[in-house]
Amino acid sequence: MRLLVTGGRTGYLGQHVVTAAGAHHVTSVGTRDADLRQRAAFEALVVHHRPDVIVHTAYVQSDWRVTATGAAHVALAAARVGARLVLVSSDVVFSGDDGLYAESAPPDPITPYGAAKAAAETVALAVCPDVVVARTSLILGDGNSQHERLVHALVGGQDGALFEDEQRCPVHVMDLATALVELACKEVQGVLHVGGADAMSRLELGRLIAGRDGLDAALLGGTSRAAARVPGPVDVRLDSTLASRVLTTRLRGAREFL
């Protein structure tokens, strides 16, 4: 199978997807190959490679043109060549008002990034005949994620604290990457939640990371989103029951993999 992976050159998740897809013919795509914001350039790249599946992991959290418009360009290109699309989305498409979210829950984002991801989902589901939207949560586990680096920095004396009121479902980066490759090969369509098995706060997650790495977890402070004046959903637990039934890949909880 021919896979094209956006973010496969330098993206954190994308590089792991390339590794997980080692048994397939993989084309890794980065900004140097084609700018997602330029529809014609990206479409020409896809037409040239003619992939069977596009796994779209690339995004820039603060840039609507990449996260939303760029994803729309990916979806349109996939539709043009008849490729399956595996679109990586996020739990932040939800406000957090309902706490536990199944795939049927309608997106109600309260941040620009969440709105961009929701827009990307809408276009992909509308224009691609063969698409799966894989919503996930905090991605980490190999020691190099932004979450793990932040914990090391905070223990080392950097100012800051971790949210103790925010509930998420962290997932191991290689579990997620393997699941995405599996979805590239499966006849699963629509929305699928692929979060980790354990719901927890960022503070609990940070303490688990510190314990794994031999750091003093007592040096990690906690705060709330309200106190830190950082807008965002507080309780966005993904119900990944369906994924556990349709995937052979096991999405471990952070209490296990850390």
Side-chain angles (χ1 to χ4, degrees), residues 150-193:
L150 175 60
V151 168
H152 279 250
L154 292 173
V155 171
Q158 176 179 301
D159 288 339
L162 299 172
F163 298 133
E164 56 191 351
D165 60 339
E166 179 186 283
Q167 291 291 309
R168 307 284 289 276
C169 294
V171 64
H172 194 286
V173 63
M174 204 60 200
D175 291 352
L176 178 58
T178 304
L180 294 174
V181 173
E182 186 178 346
L183 287 173
C185 307
K186 275 187 175 292
E187 294 183 2
V188 177
Q189 295 178 336
V191 178
L192 187 69
H193 287 176

Side-chain angles (χ1 to χ4, degrees), residues 91-200:
D91 51 8
V92 296
V93 300
F94 298 120
S95 66
D97 289 345
D98 293 336
L100 183 64
Y101 290 88
E103 286 84 356
S104 59
D108 59 342
I110 58 174
T111 64
Y113 175 54
K117 281 294 193 181
E121 291 185 8
T122 300
V123 174
L125 291 166
V127 306
C128 288
D130 188 11
V131 58
V132 60
V133 172
R135 289 190 189 129
T136 193
S137 189
L138 305 177
I139 308 170
L140 70 153
D142 69 342
N144 294 315
S145 70
Q146 62 176 337
H147 312 292
E148 290 156 295
R149 294 196 304 270
L150 175 60
V151 168
H152 279 250
L154 292 173
V155 171
Q158 176 179 301
D159 288 339
L162 299 172
F163 298 133
E164 56 191 351
D165 60 339
E166 179 186 283
Q167 291 291 309
R168 307 284 289 276
C169 294
V171 64
H172 194 286
V173 63
M174 204 60 200
D175 291 352
L176 178 58
T178 304
L180 294 174
V181 173
E182 186 178 346
L183 287 173
C185 307
K186 275 187 175 292
E187 294 183 2
V188 177
Q189 295 178 336
V191 178
L192 187 69
H193 287 176
V194 284
D198 299 331
M200 64 184 60

Side-chain angles (χ1 to χ4, degrees), residues 182 186 243-250:
E182 186 178 346
K186 275 187 175 292
S244 69
R245 293 201 299 263
V246 302
L247 296 174
T248 59
T249 303
R250 193 165 69 88

Side-chain angles (χ1 to χ4, degrees), residues 24-133:
H24 302 281
H25 177 80
V26 181
T27 299
S28 301
V29 175
T31 305
R32 290 181 301 172
D33 304 292
D35 189 335
L36 291 177
R37 296 169 295 183
Q38 305 298 322
R39 177 181 173 182
F42 185 78
E43 195 165 280
L45 180 73
V46 171
V47 169
H48 172 72
H49 289 286
R50 292 278 172 178
D52 299 305
V53 184
I54 298 175
V55 182
H56 181 47
T57 73
Y59 74 100
V60 176
Q61 188 164 335
S62 60
D63 194 332
W64 179 279
R65 296 175 303 161
V66 174
T67 304
T69 308
H73 294 162
V74 172
L76 289 166
R80 175 174 175 179
V81 301
R84 176 168 170 77
L85 176 60
V86 180
L87 175 75
V88 179
S89 189
S90 171
D91 51 8
V92 296
V93 300
F94 298 120
S95 66
D97 289 345
D98 293 336
L100 183 64
Y101 290 88
E103 286 84 356
S104 59
D108 59 342
I110 58 174
T111 64
Y113 175 54
K117 281 294 193 181
E121 291 185 8
T122 300
V123 174
L125 291 166
V127 306
C128 288
D130 188 11
V131 58
V132 60
V133 172

